[in-house]
Amino acid sequence: MATVDQPKTATPRPEGYEAPPSVLEGDHTYATVTDKISGIVLTRKTPLSWFLIFGVGFSLMMVFFGAVGYLLLKGTGIWGINVPVAWGFAIINFVWWIGIGHAGTLISAILLLMRQEWRTSINRFAEAMTLFAVACAGMFPILHMGRPWLFYWLLPYPNVMSLWPQFRSPLVWDVFAVSTYGTVSLLFWFVGLVPDFGTMRDKAQNGTARVIYGMLSLGWRGSASHWHRYETAYLLLAGLATPLVVSVHTVVSFDFAVSVIPGWHTTVFPPYFVAGAIYSGFAMVLTLVIPIRAIYGLEDMITRRHLNNMAKVMLATGLIVAYGYMIEMFMSWYGANNFEQYMSRNRMAGPYAPIFWSLILCNVLTPQLLWFKRFRNNVVVLFLIAIVVNIGMWLERYVIVITSLHRDYLPSSWGMYHGTIWDYATYAGTIGLFLALMFLFIRVLPMISIFEVRSLVKTNRRPSHTE
Amino acid sequence: MTSDKKQLDLTAIRERLRAQTGRDYWRSLEELADTEEFRELVHREFPRQASEWTDEVGRRGFLKLMSASLALAGLGACTTQPLEKIIPYVRPPEQLVPGKPLFFATAMTLGGNAIGLLAESHMGRPTKIEGNPSHPASLGATDAYSQASVLSLYDPDRAQAVTERGRIRSWTSLQVALAAEIDTLKTRRGRGLRILTETVGSPTLRFQLQELLRALPQAKWYEYEPVNWDNRREGTRLAFGRPMSFHYRLDQARVVLSLGSDFFCSRPESVRYARDFTARRRARENPSDMNRLYVVESVPSPTGTIADHRLPLRPSELGRFAQALAARIAGGQPGDGETPGEHSKWLDALARDLSANRGQSLVIPGEFESPEVQRAAHQINSALGNIGKTIEYTPEPDGGRTSQSDGLRELAGEMGDGQADVLIILGANPVYAAPADLKFAERIMKPRLRVHLSPYLDETSRLCHWHVPETHFLEQWSDAEAFDGTVTIVQPLITPLYESRSAHEIVSLLQGRYRSGYDSVRDYWRSQQPGADFEKFWKTALNDGVVPGTGSAAPMAATSAVAPGAQRPQQGRTDTQGDRGEATGGPERRQTGAASPPGSTTQPRPGQRAAAPLVALQSPAQKKSDLEVGSTARPGGASLELIFRPDPSVYDGRFSNNGWLQELPKPLTKLTWDNAALLSPRTAERLGVRSEDVVELRYHGAAVQAPVWVAPGHADECVTVHLGYGREYGGKLATGAGFNAYRLRRSDTPWGGPGLEVRKTGERHRLATTQAHWSIEGRNIVRTGTVEEYQKNPHFVHEKEHGFGPELSLYPEYEYEGNAWGMAIDLNACLGCNACVVACQAENNVPVVGKDQVIKQREMHWLRIDTYHEGNLDNPKTVHQPMLCQQCEKAPCEVVCPVAATVHSSEGLNDMIYNRCVGTRYCSNNCPYKVRRFNFLQFSDKETPSLKVMYNPDVTVRDRGVMEKCTYCVQRINAARIEAKKEDRPIRDGEVVTACQAACPTHAIVFGNINDPNSQVAKLKKLSLNYSVLGELNTQPRTTYLAALRNPNPELGTE
Amino acid sequence: MERADFKPAIYGLMAEFDTPDTLIQAVRKVRAEGYTRIDAYTPFPVEGLAEEVGFHSNLLPILVLGAGIVGALGGFGLQYWVSKIDYPLNVGGRPLNSWPSFIPVTFELTILFAALTAVLGMIALNGLPMPYHPVFNVPRFAMASQDRFFLCVESTDEKFDREKTLTFLQGLHAKAVTEVDY
């Protein structure tokens, strides 16, 4: 929106900006944009593929509930964890999901501040993804506790024993970081939706839909002063969310960096965790956007330009992550600390070496294809690379958590870790939960910000705005 | 470990080890061969442990069975003390016994020898065992067996009612049945009556049995225990012409040679030996006085690990070695028994070192080595003038007694040809434990009436008409004799939980006049104390746990022939011995070797070369057979030597239903819930087997299948199997675990011999070890040195340190006023005997998790013993390191706990608040020592009534989802604090004794207030040998270690 | 005026335009004419429109700043009070006031407070939620959330005169001018 009055030549460009293809192709008017996006929810009949994917997600979600039920019944012993490896899939998945979440906030907040108009047609979608990813992530720290029903002891609330959380613990930082992150993402998402709720309200034929959208729209009527405050608030939110998104994964990385375990106790963690988060986040956005774009024929709104830019961001963050790995290895050698040195050796040549090397393959080597335009523009290749990166990021967390723990200081207590079927079930379960929520969202809410795309129409029509 | 992995490349390992420089520790072969793990990973990456909830026999069985059991029935009785008057152990000087509740002196018998104990009684419930400081075999310490005995008492698998052919009967019905029998027996002077007992360590029982035999002269009484001391007796008989019992004075010895003896663990008095030995082991005060230990052994043992020089030899070689050494000591020139060049360097050095320390040296023959080795040892000792100084002999009370193996063979024969009509078995379990060649299971069916007294419904009970539950020693009146003749009155702490009886009572029944154990014991001792004020005597005896006037049998010169029975503490013993002579038709008859085993090579006939006090070197015949033995077992030959040993955890099988012992990591192998066929890396290489391969062991026709465990330091070309596993009946935990080595055992060669064939089956069997087998990676965790190094530079321990001190800490120092608890552990004194581990488990209600969970590395021991090997694969040096919560002042675990469930106390304890713990396990991750334990599942059993009774009421029983760890026995600290407050004084040094410290035979663990400069622990921490593990992390542990010092013979060097 | 009695009072007059620019032109003219109580409705934010309509004060940023400060102080204060005053514990030998460890939570609370204020403040200042508003009585107004642009002169404006204003608005190339009933 703010881009309206910006001459294109004057806007600061993201690296690798190219003029065409435009961010909104085809000859769209305000009306066509509105109809197309709202139509997906209101008028068009739901495509079969929606039912397929949602069905898969839903059944996996049931698996999740089963796994959690058994977990609460028996205890964390049903998982593969042990001493020394007391953290397993739960923490790996937690970090993985949280990381994925970051793309949404990045797209909606940081790109907004950088006035990247190509964000507009994917931010709604990315924010939703953030929300659901955080929802999945948030469950793991609770489930992995020995006595989950006491999770509220991590919150500061007055009690007769006047017992409080132990604020030096990174886990408490997590509680605050993740809950703040969840809340802010929700607000951001909702605020963005309000004007579109108004549109839906006005376009809905079905009475109940009218009422529901009407309520959600808070009676939005697009008054000039409202828009003005709205934009101020939105900008402020963006300004707040930007440091937040950086802080969240920094805090997550503290879970490891603050400890004394070789392979965890590393100062490079915060930056490369954040980079990794954005990396995986964009990978996930691509993984979702590419099929959905095809299903709903949104190629004109989510154009090759979007995919291209996201690919570039992946490439950049991927390189940062690779740098992170490098520095980690370098420091463990340069630090001349034999525990650290052994840790690196063990990662590369120990029992978990295959995982380490496949991580390198997925996260460092594969993305190098993105240097080439023809791969960036090839939707299929892009989709595959995105999937590979998602896997790679999961493996990264596996390597960090497991290989550091399974051989730490005293060789007498070294051990091995293997996920059990319940570990895998819980993981797959959250993926199901995520898919189910995602596709419900697509079904009932405008997955692209209608009013923001309208402003794109405007710019298309009139490249530069004059008084 | 999956079967398609490639064979361990041991040569490669050797190469690597040769390549390594400096003191580099490794733990296992799999790890040393790195390539192994790559392959392994692929298989491991899939959820193999998904079977968690299906295969949990260990833990689940443990819980289920207990709750299912009728334990409730007995419980009414639990809180009522016996009717008879028992005397509490008067509050002792505080340096000795910790704790608030009452302590009663009693004793536990194993292999016929007693160890004096104090049983802690909470509200009339025995909950914990401590050593009795005034008992010579204990001196306040204990072994693992006695620590675990409490669990055996409350074991719900115990037989709970008198049964006839499996149907429950009343006690009176048995009385009636037996009464009838006795009448008929009386008429034929007891002909056909056979009584089989274990080695009887109770003077009263022995007296009762002899009375019985006097009444029924035709009856016969046999003693048999699968782990018996026949060879010991036989050795002395060979050496002195008459069986002697003997014990060592290790505190007098400067140079000790063990010829295959694990004398720190193998005997009930081992606790005492360990104490005496380590007394001279501590080099700090005057290093020059430090003793030196040579160990020549076939099976790696705790004793071997503390040796300065260790030589692995298979039994046949060991025999020749002993002869050769004896020859050198005697004649000075190389003996003719020796194949020239073999170990000559060793022999020379040894001979010189021993001769240089005449009267101060000691040669200890292995309990289970051949009588010839025993004889050689006695000869050397006498040649070195050690007799009366470092080793003391006393004649056997009844020298005529035949060896237990011969006795059992005789009994088996009598059963076979129907001479045995009525068979009474008291305690023993021969059907399970008798050598296979005696076919006991078939022959036992012959006698018309069979009565079995035993704690469990075991293999033997199944084949007997009547089964009577046997009382646990904590439930019964009895008495027990220690290695030096000291007698302890065994007093019950609790009335029998079930309908059980003691041997005294059964025997009295056979005598036709039922008397309670109490009466029998009292009557016997009254007869021993003519004139004296008996009540006073009785009170003192019960109170002290030592019968006044017994024990410390006067030593005798071995050469001077002394009439058997002379100089015994009680004349009662001598005449009983005489009685027995008559009753059993006279020992002389046996001595003439009537019952000589066919084809025995290792057991020459009793009475052969009976006379001469010190028999000259072995006869040519004997030598020849030795050489044969050697040749048959040369490397490359198909046949190996087989070695039997009692299991370090379940002994001969009597403890196999004891969860604590089953889960107790065996010294060196760290195996739990299983026994295995141990063999050396080289032999494994030759046979192409790896650990956990299942092989078939074929020995003289018999065969069993056993998983292999490659044991570094094991002698080549021989295989060790441990007895006591593969039970079929006798408890939920006992049955199914391990394989039954008795199937291979032969009565003529009870401890094995040549002729073993090993065949690979291709199957695999998962073994549960508590220590994943890894290398130390040149880390500075355990520190060892030699006396020379120490004398040259007392601070050598700290040289390799690359850390910095607390002065560089970012954090302010906390002031700990008053007490600041700390611990010092002397690696030089730690034998890895496991007593502390069980003691901790008993004191702190540490749950048993079962084999499946151990495989998943979820064992709960708060205190574990890390064992590190150093150097050469075939004969490594070994150090044990007890590892428990280090109580760091800058504890990494505390900082990361989100709910402050683990915080520091004002006295510097790293407290664990179970109620507050939510189970994030972050503390465990962040613990560099990995000493925290997590209840991944509901491990502790809160249902089974009998276990509820057993738990230590001072310690919380932890629930699922809670972290736990060593607390420095905070409950004991608080008990002491209360006492001190009451008397308005500070807590004295030594007033707080942790469970592990109390149990430790060698005082390796010292606990106390480090703020008090005069406290023992503070003094130790001042020593230059003192260091903290991972000190460079600056966690500032309150637990520190004293480096281990070795005293190698310069001639042999440190290898 | 008497004639007015016959007609029910109205909220105002609404003119419809089909581009933002025509709307802005119209607004300028209306303002020039001296109308003050007017409002413009658009399907997306139009740059500068608010100013043209005569909207200036915006205290949202100040509110957010205040909330941020409160969050920061409150956050650190809580941790300090808990760890140093209310229940001091020796945790791993760390100082009671381990302020570096308290920073993350302080930061998160700052953000949380500020963000909540930004959104709730915006909603409140806009007088939302407002389920009923007279402008919705104009059937065409549904297009305001899609592709039409509206200008409403409210009857409370003292210059407001039903006919005059009507004709005046029609003079602004409005596609249509309608009365907005209460």
Side-chain angles (χ1 to χ4, degrees), chain A residues 72-73 77 79 81-82 86-87 144 146-147 166 169 255 259-261 351 407-409 412 414-415 418 422, chain B residues 37 41 44 53 772 774 779 856-858 866 895-896 898 915 917-922 925-926 930 936 960:
Chain A
L72 297 177
L73 200 70
W79 291 345
I81 45 176
N82 56 27
W87 281 357
H144 102 292
R147 305 198 286 173
Q166 204 278 97
S169 167
D255 289 349
S259 78
V260 300
I261 301 302
R407 292 182 178 180
D408 61 347
Y409 286 101
S412 59
W414 286 358
H418 319 283
W422 296 104
Chain B
E37 317 210 351
L41 175 89
R44 290 220 170 169
W53 60 94
W774 313 115
R779 295 177 181 186
K856 291 177 183 167
Q857 296 165 284
R858 292 172 181 174
D866 295 349
V895 189
V896 297
N915 292 0
C917 178
V918 297
T920 66
R921 303 183 297 283
Y922 200 170
N925 285 348
N926 211 28
K930 290 286 175 284
F936 290 94
R960 179 242 278 196

Side-chain angles (χ1 to χ4, degrees), chain B residues 57 64 342 486 726 802 850 869 935 1019:
Chain B
V57 184
K64 274 210 213 73
E342 198 181 21
T486 311
H802 44 69
H869 298 309
N935 292 274
K1019 292 199 184 106

Side-chain angles (χ1 to χ4, degrees), chain B residues 457-502:
Chain B
L457 266 174
D458 56 28
E459 295 83 348
T460 307
S461 324
R462 302 267 161 175
L463 303 185
C464 291
H465 301 96
W466 288 87
H467 177 263
V468 185
E470 185 180 18
T471 47
H472 189 272
F473 77 89
L474 290 169
E475 296 173 320
Q476 75 182 15
W477 282 100
S478 182
D479 49 9
E481 195 180 24
F483 69 103
D484 68 346
T486 311
V487 177
T488 303
I489 305 290
V490 176
Q491 52 178 342
L493 276 84
I494 186 169
T495 48
L497 297 180
Y498 314 116
E499 182 55 66
S500 56
R501 290 289 186 280
S502 72

Side-chain angles (χ1 to χ4, degrees), chain B residues 724-873:
Chain B
Y725 277 92
R727 299 288 306 273
E728 288 159 19
Y729 305 101
K732 184 83 173 165
L733 301 186
T735 54
F739 66 94
N740 183 353
Y742 288 110
R743 294 239 180 81
L744 295 180
R745 213 170 179 209
R746 297 175 53 81
S747 57
D748 51 1
T749 61
W751 299 106
L756 173 74
E757 273 125 44
V758 177
R759 192 177 57 75
K760 208 173 159 181
T761 62
E763 291 162 36
R764 307 270 304 161
H765 176 78
R766 191 89 201 275
L767 293 169
T769 54
T770 56
Q771 258 164 353
H773 20 244
W774 313 115
S775 89
I776 191 81
E777 293 299 325
R779 295 177 181 186
N780 205 7
I781 295 163
V782 285
R783 306 186 187 176
T784 59
T786 65
V787 180
E788 293 86 302
E789 284 179 80
Y790 178 58
Q791 279 164 321
K792 267 197 231 81
N793 167 16
H795 295 274
F796 77 96
V797 170
H798 301 281
E799 269 169 357
K800 269 189 281 173
E801 277 174 6
H802 44 69
F804 47 80
E807 66 278 1
L808 286 186
S809 176
L810 281 173
Y811 312 113
E813 283 305 310
Y814 266 81
E815 281 310 312
Y816 295 99
E817 294 90 7
N819 301 314
W821 303 113
M823 183 179 275
I825 298 178
D826 187 350
L827 297 183
N828 208 27
C830 179
L831 315 168
C833 71
N834 275 339
C836 50
V837 180
V838 191
C840 176
Q841 189 158 24
E843 171 73 14
N844 293 303
N845 303 333
V846 174
V848 172
V849 299
K851 179 180 178 183
D852 183 49
Q853 295 293 314
V854 172
I855 289 175
K856 291 177 183 167
Q857 296 165 284
R858 292 172 181 174
E859 69 274 5
M860 297 298 285
H861 295 131
W862 285 5
L863 165 56
R864 63 171 196 262
I865 295 183
D866 295 349
T867 302
Y868 295 117
H869 298 309
E870 173 199 339
N872 161 354
L873 195 62

Side-chain angles (χ1 to χ4, degrees), chain B residues 555-705:
Chain B
M556 60 167 286
T559 42
S560 68
V562 177
Q567 296 178 349
R568 292 302 290 171
Q570 305 102 21
Q571 65 281 25
R573 186 75 50 69
T574 41
D575 47 50
T576 60
Q577 182 268 334
D579 298 342
R580 186 194 154 87
E582 299 162 19
T584 57
E588 300 71 18
R589 186 178 59 74
R590 301 257 180 70
Q591 274 196 9
T592 54
S596 65
S600 157
T601 56
T602 59
Q603 276 204 331
R605 288 115 200 78
Q608 193 185 27
R609 16 182 141 74
L614 263 179
V615 183
L617 280 175
Q618 64 207 39
S619 65
Q622 184 56 44
K623 192 198 331 174
K624 191 160 145 298
S625 75
D626 259 0
L627 292 174
E628 284 160 11
V629 170
S631 57
T632 51
R634 283 266 179 273
S639 141
L640 299 91
E641 285 177 54
L642 179 60
I643 306 172
F644 293 99
R645 285 287 182 269
D647 187 85
S649 295
V650 303
Y651 197 60
D652 59 1
R654 72 185 61 201
F655 299 121
S656 50
N657 204 54
N658 185 313
W660 291 349
L661 288 172
Q662 280 282 16
E663 197 156 294
L664 183 61
K666 304 175 204 279
L668 293 151
T669 63
K670 301 296 173 192
L671 282 174
T672 62
W673 294 100
D674 260 312
N675 59 344
L678 306 188
L679 39 75
S680 77
R682 204 179 275 125
T683 312
E685 205 173 7
R686 185 174 70 78
L687 299 171
V689 293
R690 270 179 306 121
S691 290
E692 296 187 327
D693 277 348
V694 176
V695 295
E696 186 186 70
L697 303 174
R698 183 167 291 284
Y699 183 65
H700 296 305
V704 295
Q705 296 209 335

Side-chain angles (χ1 to χ4, degrees), chain B residues 13-26 31-32 775-778 870-872:
Chain B
I13 295 176
R14 284 213 182 67
E15 287 315 316
R16 275 191 52 198
L17 285 172
R18 223 168 279 120
Q20 277 161 357
T21 53
R23 185 163 281 143
D24 195 4
Y25 291 83
W26 47 268
E31 204 273 344
L32 278 168
S775 89
I776 191 81
E777 293 299 325
E870 173 199 339
N872 161 354

Side-chain angles (χ1 to χ4, degrees), chain B residues 31-262:
Chain B
E31 204 273 344
L32 278 168
D34 264 348
T35 59
E36 187 77 0
E37 317 210 351
F38 274 80
R39 242 172 245 87
E40 189 168 320
L41 175 89
V42 188
H43 304 277
R44 290 220 170 169
E45 250 338 88
F46 294 104
R48 183 187 52 217
Q49 299 185 347
S51 64
E52 191 275 341
W53 60 94
T54 59
D55 164 34
E56 289 189 300
V57 184
R59 180 179 63 87
R60 284 314 197 69
F62 194 66
L63 307 193
K64 274 210 213 73
L65 199 95
M66 294 205 166
S67 30
S69 78
L70 290 173
L72 255 174
L75 286 177
C78 285
T79 47
T80 68
Q81 293 196 349
L83 305 171
E84 305 87 358
K85 194 154 187 296
I86 66 176
I87 312 288
Y89 188 77
V90 178
R91 173 67 38 93
E94 48 283 308
Q95 284 76 7
L96 297 182
V97 181
K100 186 112 196 61
L102 292 178
F103 284 80
F104 297 91
T106 180
M108 174 179 176
T109 309
L110 192 59
N113 286 53
I115 179 168
L117 305 172
L118 302 179
E120 179 179 8
S121 168
H122 280 280
M123 318 289 292
R125 306 192 311 259
T127 58
K128 177 78 170 65
I129 296 295
E130 303 291 353
N132 181 350
S134 37
H135 189 279
S138 160
L139 299 184
T142 59
D143 53 16
Y145 298 132
S146 34
Q147 283 295 342
S149 59
V150 184
L151 184 56
S152 302
L153 168 67
Y154 294 110
D155 182 351
D157 289 12
R158 285 177 59 190
Q160 298 176 4
V162 178
T163 54
E164 182 191 12
R165 293 195 170 85
R167 279 185 304 280
I168 294 184
R169 290 276 184 266
S170 72
W171 168 244
T172 32
S173 59
L174 172 68
Q175 281 176 303
V176 174
L178 277 184
E181 280 300 329
I182 297 301
D183 295 343
T184 53
L185 280 169
K186 281 220 178 74
T187 58
R188 43 178 221 242
R189 308 189 65 240
R191 182 157 41 76
L193 173 60
R194 295 289 180 272
I195 301 172
L196 177 63
T197 67
E198 299 189 310
T199 314
V200 172
S202 153
T204 304
L205 184 58
R206 196 180 296 133
F207 176 74
Q208 284 182 287
L209 283 161
Q210 277 146 2
E211 268 189 332
L212 177 67
L213 292 174
R214 205 181 297 118
L216 305 170
Q218 298 294 308
K220 279 188 193 167
W221 159 36
Y222 298 101
E223 287 176 301
Y224 180 77
E225 216 166 300
V227 179
N228 56 49
W229 315 116
D230 284 352
N231 289 9
R232 246 169 92 93
R233 284 178 91 253
E234 199 51 41
T236 51
R237 194 202 297 276
L238 292 184
F240 307 123
R242 75 178 57 79
M244 304 267 192
S245 63
F246 55 93
H247 61 271
Y248 318 116
R249 300 282 311 280
L250 282 150
D251 50 342
Q252 304 299 321
R254 271 193 97 259
V255 177
V256 181
L257 165 65
S258 156
L259 293 170
S261 169
D262 182 13

Side-chain angles (χ1 to χ4, degrees), chain A residues 271-297:
Chain A
Y272 105 67
F273 263 58
V274 173
I278 296 163
Y279 189 36
S280 59
F282 271 88
M284 185 55 93
V285 177
L286 279 173
T287 328
L288 293 170
V289 149
I290 289 174
I292 288 168
R293 170 174 180 269
I295 296 173
Y296 291 98

